[in-house]
Amino acid sequence: MPSSLKARTSGTTELLYESFLSRWLVIAVGLVRAYLARGSYHGLYYSIEKPLKYFQTGALLEILHCAVGIVPSSVVLTGFQVMSRVFLTWAVTHSVREVQSEDSVLLFVVAWTVTEIIRYSFYTFSLLNHLPYLIKWARYTFFFVLYPMGVAGELLTIYAALPYVQKTGLYSITLPNNYNFSFDYHTFLILVMISYIPLFPQLYFHMIRQRKKVLGHVEEYSKVE
Amino acid sequence: MSRTIFFEVEILDSKTKEQLCFLDKVEPHSSVGDIKSLFHKSYPKWYPARQALRLDPKGKALRNDDLLQNLPVGTSATLYFRDLGPQLGWTMVFLAEYIGPLLIYLLFYFRVPYIYNHKYTLTSSSHHVVNLACACHSFHYIKRLFETIFVHRFSNGTMPLRATLRNCAYYWGFAAWLAYYINHPLYTPPSYGKTQVRYALIIFVLCEAGNFSVHWSLNSLKCEGAKCRRFPNPSKNPFTWLFFFVSCPNYTYEVGAWVGLSIMTQCVPVALFTFLGFIQMSIWAKGKHKTYTREFKDYPNFRMPILPFIL
């Protein structure tokens, strides 16, 4: 990407990231307030439902950023992650009402919220060239817990949705019809769950490798000193 | 009697940089292909098609017809080797890719056990169009197999085994998916009945004939591997007149044949396969078009890659 374009867009990108960061903070604060108000963590999804939908869908811009080159992440990995989150938000949690009061929803919402707050802080401070080591360390360490937590929440939510999808035939097309096509959303969801088996370890080990690369150098320097 | 200066060639592994082979007394007019053959003698597992030799570990692979004396090396050359993995010749690749869909479709047509409800096992469909679709689909792949064996002349190139397996998975999987719906007991024939089927069949037959004509005409171009002395031109055969408008009429006709099949069966998976095929072939056609315009200064401006006037 030409450096002139980078310079011109980095100011806008910083603002964008700060706004994303603040929105996820809004979700976090919303969660905490609702928890304190209710005294329990059941049904917290409803308190942050709208912001979650808008911000997670807004994250589609992330793919564009990677494609244009503002962010050095891979388009494929980022695209995949954003798509899976949008899918969970709209095609599962929003579409299957009965699932919204499940605890597993809270599990992945919290995982996503914490991850995104750290990630956007990381990007914002990086662009400002003033990145505290703590943020860098957090970004490449917290995922050890947050990834499995998010995945567990997502899988449990999809699993909880299965009986309702089968009963109502949600998003499914059956034969016979004029276009000779059928789609079973229930089977599709099962296939999505199975796809986590090859895909999740790849993402996890990719982050572990990134961690070694990013944090590994600093340990060497401290040894020299 | 003149003294020939012999070359020394050292072959190192690209990743580990350890010396794999040292060849002395190599003739200067040897080609990279000759060196690969010599290397193969020391390492029988790595036949020449599997070898990538480079001047720089991260550089581009050298071509088989590059001559040693033309490389920027001096009399003592260091080449870096990378294993490309098991390879398949083009003929084998195409045979594998085409035999699958041909046979798999027939499994569904004859309603082999365990595919559909057991009460429909080994029955036949009551719709005339289902039989016609089977005939067309089978003809399409038999024609392709025939062309692979008797018509096409392939360069000595190969395709990696991994890529071939991936392509086969795509073709075979899609064939199974579309065959499942066309031969399903609950299949619904086209909305406009016999008229729709008739026109679709005409489109299909014309495009198959066109595709074959273009392949035949490309065959008579007298190319040596990938390098051709002349670009393809229309001949007396009216089907080749599409060359006036497009660089790759074989792809145009291929898309046309599948459009015919889609209309004939009125089946979404067939239409989807047509669409994806069109995207892939457009990419190939654009690449081919670029190669033609670059190689031949007198290449007609009027031609588009795959769709006349449009794309």
Side-chain angles (χ1 to χ4, degrees), chain A residues 181-199:
Chain A
F181 177 63
S182 69
F183 181 70
D184 185 22
Y185 193 47
H186 181 253
T187 314
F188 180 72
L189 285 177
I190 295 179
L191 289 174
V192 166
M193 287 177 74
I194 295 178
S195 75
Y196 273 77
I197 300 177
L199 292 171

Side-chain angles (χ1 to χ4, degrees), chain A residues 175-182, chain B residues 181 186-188 265-268:
Chain A
L175 290 175
N177 60 71
N178 262 338
Y179 294 103
N180 294 302
F181 177 63
S182 69
Chain B
Y181 287 110
L186 296 177
Y187 172 76
T188 313
T265 56
Q266 198 166 300
C267 178
V268 163

